[in-house]
Amino acid sequence: MHYRYMILFVLLVSIGGQIFAQNRTDISLFSKSDSSVYLNEIRSATGDLFYDLGHHGPAVENEWLGFRFYFDKKAAIDVYSKTKPGLELRKARWYPTVKQQAEGWGADYYKVGATVGLGGIRLWDGEKVVLLNPVSNRVARVEKEGTESFMELLSEDVPYKNTTVDVLVRLTVFSGIRKARVEAFALTDDDVQFVTGINYHKSQKVVKEANYIATWGLHPEDIVANRVELGAAIIYNPDDFEKKLSQYDQYLLVSKPCKHLEYWITSANAKEPELNTIEKFIEAINH
């Protein structure tokens, strides 16, 4: 079943002959200087608000998992894992306490480092990877509507092939769907080549198939109370890409020249009641 139709199918609940849609998603964007006020948009001429924003950038979630953009030169995507269905961002703000984690809250098990994380976007100039940096302006926006939520990161005037381009990255989560859609837009007259991918660590198992790359295992110790095995995957149309790059900490995909790119990302962890092994995770990806 195509994702778009699957999304519509799982979101519609019939009660007494009427159709109701439930939004089991949420958004979060706030400044550390006034964390009591949630924002829908924020911008910076420096392109770096990493230390000024709560959870380092915009974030979205559905009942299964959460994601955030790093608001800095990396523009990476990070994952918030959950052990049970529910919305946690507005209360945990990405960093639940040790007590909350012991009570069954989620945690930040994923370690991004200097990589794209899980499905972050960069550019390819024909020879090397180009960060979405420097910029004349970077804008983050979040929106909750209908049965979904999305976050966007717009990087303006990124130097690229003797010119500058504006790049918009949008990540959308859907109620009842574990996968999130990532889209990249080149707001320019000429096509660009996007770079995306998935990072990995030495202790992890990696599965590479024609249309997805999946990892499973422990990420390096960070701020969580306990380390937990984590699965992550990027699912894509191989016809959209012309090159694969294997680096020591990430697998990268280089797109064909285009103005729009779309793919999906997902994650699970060993503390969940169902998708708690690599075999179950891979089965879910292929379903």
Side-chain angles (χ1 to χ4, degrees):
M1 184 183 296
H2 192 281
Y3 284 132
R4 297 183 188 277
Y5 297 115
M6 180 172 66
I7 291 165
L8 290 174
F9 177 78
V10 299
L11 296 181
L12 297 179
V13 180
S14 179
I15 303 176
Q18 298 183 12
I19 299 297
F20 296 90
Q22 298 177 342
N23 193 338
R24 298 188 297 275
T25 70
D26 210 351
I27 56 177
S28 181
L29 175 61
F30 62 92
S31 172
K32 289 181 179 178
S33 63
D34 188 357
S35 61
S36 65
V37 178
Y38 281 97
L39 308 170
N40 285 102
E41 181 177 303
I42 195 165
R43 60 186 61 227
S44 168
T46 69
D48 190 347
L49 291 177
F50 186 84
Y51 293 106
D52 299 292
L53 297 179
H55 39 66
H56 303 306
V60 295
E61 67 171 338
N62 65 6
E63 65 266 52
W64 300 112
L65 69 175
F67 302 94
R68 63 179 172 181
F69 283 134
Y70 283 161
F71 197 116
D72 66 357
K73 65 181 181 180
K74 290 186 293 187
I77 296 176
D78 194 11
V79 180
Y80 179 86
S81 302
K82 300 182 182 182
T83 64
K84 58 185 178 182
L87 300 179
E88 300 183 9
L89 268 182
R90 291 291 178 119
K91 292 183 179 179
R93 293 191 163 189
W94 203 271
Y95 300 110
T97 64
V98 172
K99 182 175 183 295
Q100 286 174 321
Q101 291 177 54
E103 293 171 348
W105 289 59
D108 180 13
Y109 300 128
Y110 202 97
K111 184 72 171 181
V112 170
T115 70
V116 297
L118 179 55
I121 281 287
R122 292 170 186 178
L123 295 169
W124 179 257
D125 68 1
E127 298 180 353
K128 63 183 184 301
V129 176
V130 178
L131 294 171
L132 303 184
N133 197 74
V135 296
S136 65
N137 194 39
R138 203 181 316 272
V139 184
R141 187 167 77 93
V142 294
E143 193 71 40
K144 180 177 180 177
E145 58 185 22
T147 55
E148 63 191 54
S149 289
F150 68 85
M151 60 180 179
E152 294 180 337
L153 198 63
L154 172 64
S155 301
E156 299 180 348
D157 295 317
V158 177
Y160 181 70
K161 292 186 175 181
N162 299 316
T163 185
T164 60
V165 297
D166 296 349
V167 176
L168 176 69
V169 186
R170 177 186 299 138
L171 186 153
T172 307
V173 292
F174 305 91
S175 301
I177 301 293
R178 183 180 284 269
K179 300 177 180 72
R181 184 179 67 205
V182 183
E183 298 172 276
F185 302 86
L187 308 181
T188 176
D189 292 333
D190 299 320
D191 289 348
V192 305
Q193 286 184 272
F194 294 110
V195 174
T196 186
I198 181 172
N199 72 336
Y200 70 97
H201 303 279
K202 291 182 179 180
S203 63
Q204 293 183 306
K205 297 178 181 178
V206 178
V207 178
K208 291 186 282 186
E209 297 292 344
N211 66 325
Y212 72 83
I213 304 174
T215 64
W216 185 277
L218 294 173
H219 283 242
E221 187 174 358
D222 201 357
I223 59 172
V224 296
N226 298 289
R227 296 173 70 195
V228 173
E229 288 192 336
L230 180 70
I234 180 169
I235 306 159
Y236 58 92
N237 182 347
D239 292 337
D240 292 337
F241 296 90
E242 70 172 29
K243 185 190 296 287
K244 297 180 181 180
L245 303 174
S246 180
Q247 299 183 343
Y248 75 95
D249 57 356
Q250 60 186 344
Y251 296 105
L252 299 179
L253 304 167
V254 179
S255 79
K256 295 176 180 177
C258 62
K259 293 186 180 67
H260 174 246
L261 181 67
E262 177 181 318
Y263 49 93
W264 295 74
I265 57 176
T266 188
S267 182
N269 71 85
K271 292 184 72 174
E272 295 191 49
E274 295 179 357
L275 300 186
N276 49 25
T277 67
I278 185 172
E279 292 79 13
K280 294 177 180 178
F281 184 54
I282 296 298
E283 183 180 355
I285 293 171
N286 288 311
H287 182 66

